[in-house]
Each structure stands twice: as structure tokens, then as C-alpha cells.
Amino acid sequence: MRLQLQTLVQRKFKVLLLLLLLLALLLHVTMDLALPATRRPCSSDAKEPKASGTSTGSPLLASPEKLSLRILQDFSGSNGSLEKSSQPQGAGPKGKDGDVGIQHRHGDVGPAWAKGSKLAALFEHPLYNIPLPEVKDKDKLFIANPMEKFSLRSSRSDEWQSRNQETPADFFYFSDFERHNAEIAAFHLDRILDFRRIPPVSGRLVNITKEIRDITTDKKLARTFFISPAGNVCFYGECSYYCSTEHALCGKPDQLEGSMAALLPDKALAKRRSWRSPWRRSYHKSKKAEWELDPNYCSQVRRTPPYDSGHRLLDLIDMAVLDFLMGNMDRHHYETFEKFGNDTFLLHLDNGRGFGTHSRDEMSILAPLQQCCSIKKSTYLRLRLLATEPYRLSELLREALAADHLAPILAEPHLQALDRRLGKVLAAVGRCLATAAQPHQVLVDDIGPWL
């Protein structure tokens, strides 16, 4: 009995000793793995693109602490900063105006935008290098607060369409599809027109399973995932409209094309105001808006704040030109930064219903220009430049879109429609010049004697 008790004690002691050794080994391995993990982000920062909406990396995997405040500061600094924040760090040598080398969609570095590039030549033109006034503290949108916390928010889109598919003829403008490729093309077109009011947008192929469903912590979002009868992974999220199984986003089987946009400054740092467009459509199947019935509607707008002073009305006409070129009839509101009052610029957001139809030109989109017969002189001169052979608009946009990871972004008929529509914009300005008492009443000088 005594021998058995001694043997039992020895066995328990050996087991306890073995457990202590295993615990020490586990602690050692854990510390060994933890130390390099803390250094890993520092060594990869120079290689990984920031959370700016570019196509590499998953914004859903980024933590709020990693959202770069520098990007927000660059975005609010000047027109050229949009260009800087749209490219990943280390993407290639930068040229004038922030242009970088084109990369192919598989990561291989392609030919730089050098002497043979029409796009690079355009940005070297004097019209795209008008001197800007010095940026003072009062001109800055906000001062970054390192204590401010940010959260990443998901964006919505509708269907993964064929590039050649046009909006059905029986669709109303408010029933049209939301197109991710239209958001991408709109950003590049806005940049070529030198408006630079659309935050950088890039195409991205998303794995719905690995990059959304498997990592989401949003229980409400998780409940909207399902497998379609075709065996594809789908989800529809939660929102006030379009969030149902009839408007679900489905992969093939779980791969989905999308557009990723750079984040605007958080509203806690830079408050924005939403403005109803004076040329908003009725969004009714039979009723028409006031501007469609009154040919002298612009005179009423000119007497109404904030369009009765400053450059707000001219900015709105710029936006109408952009919308006409891409066939976007869905411009019901626009946004501005509250800090700058009536000296603000317009944000050209929500362009997903552009580039839906290439075979027809909707002239009513140009109503602000046609009714007011005014346009910025700088805008008019650039439009004339883009109608010339060395800087043909369709060729410039084709070159710009070739760098996107989802290229081709637009079907060829959409590119050809741009040149046709540009001719109609210039013809509209020509008719205004022909009937105006003085040319300066049509071409409002915003560049002075520089050109």
C-alpha cells in the first residue's frame, strides 16, 4: 500500500513537471511570434497602399487606426492633391501634376506616361497649368485631430453588367442601373476636364466570401448573405431602398467587380451640406419640373441665393457639362463643404448612372448651359482643346482607363459618343455667343490676362 502511494505521487509529480515545461515552451513561442508581428506593419508601410480606395488590399480588413490622416489632408489641400491620393505609394516615378507610371492589371509595370502619351501632353498644356494663389490657413478644409476616431463604411452598387449593355429604352432615368464602371470612368473624365471634383476611384475584384462574409462583424449584414439558385454567393445589406433579394449583389460564384473610392474627410472634421439642384428632375412618370416648362427659368435662379453671387452657378454649369458628356440624368443633389460658404466648390459625387446609353444624347442635361448662356472661359477653352486632334477626348479617356485593374472600363461606342457630345456642347456655346450682345456675357473670365 505504501509503495503504491509513493508510485502515485511520483507519477503526479512527473505530470505536473511536464505541464510546467509545456507551459514555459508555449510562453516562449508566443513571445517569439508576438515581437516581429508588432514590427511587421512598419516594414510594410512603404509597400502597402494607404486606405485611399485604391484597388489593392481590402478596405474591410483595415482597422480605423490605420486610416491615414495624411490622405485626408492631401485631399483637402488643392486640386492636384486628388491626383496624389489616387495612387499607391511607391507606384512609380511621378511626373508633373502628380502623374505616375501606368501599371497593368496583374501588377507588371507598364510603359510610363512619357513622350508618346497624349494624356501626359495634355497635362503639360498651359491651360492645365494656370497659376494658383497661395493656400493660406483659412483655405484649408480642416486641421487633423489625432484623437478623432474614424470608421470605415461600406458602399453600395447594383448589378454587374456587361460593358456593351445599354440602359433599356423603357427605363425611366430614376430606374436605371448603378454601374461601378461608370464611377471609375467619371473620375477620369472629371480629371481630364480639369474639374477635379470627384474623389479618386479605382476598380477592384472582390471575393465576397473571404473579404466580406467571413470577416464581417456586422450581424445585420451577415444575415443578408445567401446562396442563389445558380449557386452564387449573394448579399443585399441594409438600407432605406434597393436592399432586398431582388437587388442583391451576386458573385460569380463569389467574385464581384466593384469600384473603390477614396474616403472624403469624416463629417466630424469637415461638415458637408447637401443642396437640391435647381435643375432637378421631377422623378415622376408624368410630371415635369419647372425648368422644363419655363424657358426663362435661369433668370429666376440668378436672383436666388446662393446663385445670385459668386461662382456657384458657373460651377453648376460645369457639372452639367460633365453629366451631359457621360449621359447622367440623375443629378438631383450636390454637396459642398460647409466651411467655405459660397466660396466653396461642388463635389461631383454619385455618378453610377452615367455611361448607360451611347446611341442617344440627352440634350435636356445641358439645360443650365442652354438657359443661362454662361460658362467659365477656362472650361470653354479646355473643351475646345479636347476637340482637337492632338488631344481628342475619347483617346485621352481611353488611355486613362487602360491603367485600371478592371480594364476595359467602357465599351468603344461610349468613348466615341464623348467626341460627338463634346461637339454639341461647343455648338450650344456657339449659339449663345451668336445671340449675346457681348462675348464676356457668355464666356465669364475666370483666368484673367494669363491666357
Side-chain angles (χ1 to χ4, degrees):
M1 184 69 179
R2 183 178 180 182
L3 181 60
Q4 290 179 350
L5 183 60
Q6 184 178 3
T7 303
L8 182 61
V9 172
Q10 288 177 351
R11 286 180 179 176
K12 289 185 176 180
F13 179 79
K14 290 179 180 179
V15 172
L16 181 60
L17 183 61
L18 181 60
L19 288 175
L20 289 174
L21 289 174
L22 289 175
L23 183 61
L25 179 62
L26 182 61
L27 183 61
H28 177 75
V29 172
T30 304
M31 292 179 63
D32 189 45
L33 292 176
L35 286 176
T38 59
R39 297 171 188 161
R40 198 170 297 125
C42 297
S43 61
S44 63
D45 280 348
K47 300 176 182 178
E48 296 291 338
K50 303 294 183 184
S52 59
T54 54
S55 58
T56 55
S58 173
L60 291 165
L61 292 176
S63 64
E65 289 78 13
K66 292 183 180 179
L67 187 60
S68 173
L69 285 175
R70 179 186 300 235
I71 294 176
L72 301 182
Q73 290 173 316
D74 288 345
F75 174 72
S76 66
S78 66
N79 290 349
S81 62
L82 286 176
E83 194 63 25
K84 297 173 185 175
S85 62
S86 67
Q87 299 290 347
Q89 291 185 358
K94 291 191 176 181
K96 193 167 184 179
D97 198 42
D99 294 321
V100 300
I102 296 177
Q103 293 185 350
H104 294 290
R105 54 186 300 181
H106 295 297
D108 298 328
V109 178
W113 290 349
K115 296 181 180 178
S117 167
K118 293 187 175 182
L119 195 63
L122 177 75
F123 293 139
E124 292 288 340
H125 193 277
L127 274 172
Y128 288 78
N129 291 274
I130 297 174
L132 297 176
E134 180 185 356
V135 177
K136 300 179 181 179
D137 288 341
K138 65 181 181 65
D139 301 318
K140 296 179 181 178
L141 181 61
F142 67 96
I143 299 176
N145 180 3
M147 301 302 295
E148 187 68 43
K149 302 298 182 183
F150 296 90
S151 60
L152 296 174
R153 302 173 184 172
S154 60
S155 59
R156 61 175 179 86
S157 60
D158 261 81
E159 297 195 10
W160 187 352
Q161 285 191 309
S162 166
R163 300 290 193 265
N164 296 312
Q165 184 175 358
E166 283 198 275
T167 302
D170 292 327
F171 269 33
F172 289 99
Y173 53 88
F174 48 83
S175 303
D176 198 2
F177 299 108
E178 296 281 349
R179 287 170 283 269
H180 62 287
N181 60 313
E183 295 281 7
I184 300 167
F187 159 65
H188 289 280
L189 176 61
D190 186 76
R191 171 175 168 248
I192 290 171
L193 294 172
D194 206 41
F195 297 153
R196 301 178 185 270
R197 301 307 184 215
I198 299 179
V201 182
S202 177
R204 165 88 187 281
L205 193 64
V206 179
N207 186 305
I208 297 177
T209 302
K210 295 180 179 179
E211 297 183 89
I212 303 180
R213 189 190 69 181
D214 291 353
I215 65 172
T216 184
T217 57
D218 189 332
K219 294 181 180 179
K220 292 183 179 180
L221 173 63
R223 286 196 293 265
T224 69
F225 282 85
F226 63 94
I227 304 297
S228 73
N232 296 322
V233 181
C234 306
F235 72 101
Y236 53 87
E238 285 204 350
C239 61
S240 57
Y241 54 93
Y242 288 142
C243 285
S244 63
T245 54
E246 291 80 10
H247 299 92
L249 295 169
C250 295
K252 297 180 180 179
D254 58 1
Q255 299 292 310
L256 178 69
E257 283 190 6
S259 62
M260 300 295 178
L263 296 173
L264 285 173
D266 191 273
K267 289 184 178 180
L269 293 176
K271 292 182 180 180
R272 300 197 299 272
R273 289 194 61 181
S274 180
W275 301 80
R276 181 187 174 111
S277 172
W279 280 270
R280 181 185 186 272
R281 298 178 185 275
S282 66
Y283 285 81
H284 192 277
K285 294 181 177 62
S286 57
K287 292 182 180 179
K288 289 189 175 183
E290 184 179 353
W291 61 267
E292 294 178 283
L293 303 173
D294 182 4
N296 297 317
Y297 178 77
C298 184
S299 60
Q300 176 183 336
V301 175
R302 289 184 186 274
R303 295 192 299 267
T304 306
Y307 307 100
D308 58 345
S309 62
H311 49 80
R312 179 74 68 95
L313 180 59
L314 293 171
D315 288 345
L316 201 68
I317 292 172
D318 279 351
M319 188 164 59
V321 170
L322 171 70
D323 285 334
F324 175 72
L325 291 175
M326 59 183 179
N328 178 27
M329 300 174 67
D330 191 39
R331 188 69 69 184
H332 46 84
H333 286 78
Y334 64 89
E335 292 189 37
T336 64
F337 287 114
E338 186 176 288
K339 174 180 178 178
F340 301 129
N342 204 31
D343 292 327
T344 186
F345 56 86
L346 277 55
L347 292 168
H348 297 170
L349 305 178
D350 193 9
N351 306 287
R353 286 181 173 166
F355 297 102
T357 304
H358 54 71
S359 57
R360 182 174 62 89
D361 304 332
E362 182 54 57
M363 296 303 298
S364 64
I365 303 175
L366 273 184
L369 170 61
Q370 294 171 321
Q371 294 181 351
C372 298
C373 263
S374 293
I375 191 172
K376 293 178 185 176
K377 182 179 179 181
S378 62
T379 299
Y380 176 67
L381 292 178
R382 291 189 186 101
L383 292 175
R384 285 182 53 185
L385 182 68
L386 295 172
T388 61
E389 187 55 42
Y391 304 105
R392 187 71 60 186
L393 179 57
S394 60
E395 296 177 6
L396 292 168
L397 187 58
R398 184 186 297 109
E399 180 184 340
L401 296 178
D404 194 87
H405 285 248
L406 298 184
I409 301 300
L410 293 178
E412 192 62 27
H414 284 291
L415 293 169
Q416 296 172 1
L418 285 171
D419 296 330
R420 181 183 71 239
R421 291 169 181 169
L422 176 57
K424 292 185 177 182
V425 175
L426 293 173
V429 178
R431 288 191 292 271
C432 290
L433 288 170
T435 58
Q438 297 292 335
H440 67 82
Q441 296 175 347
V442 178
L443 303 181
V444 181
D445 191 356
D446 61 323
I447 51 181
W450 192 78
L451 284 175

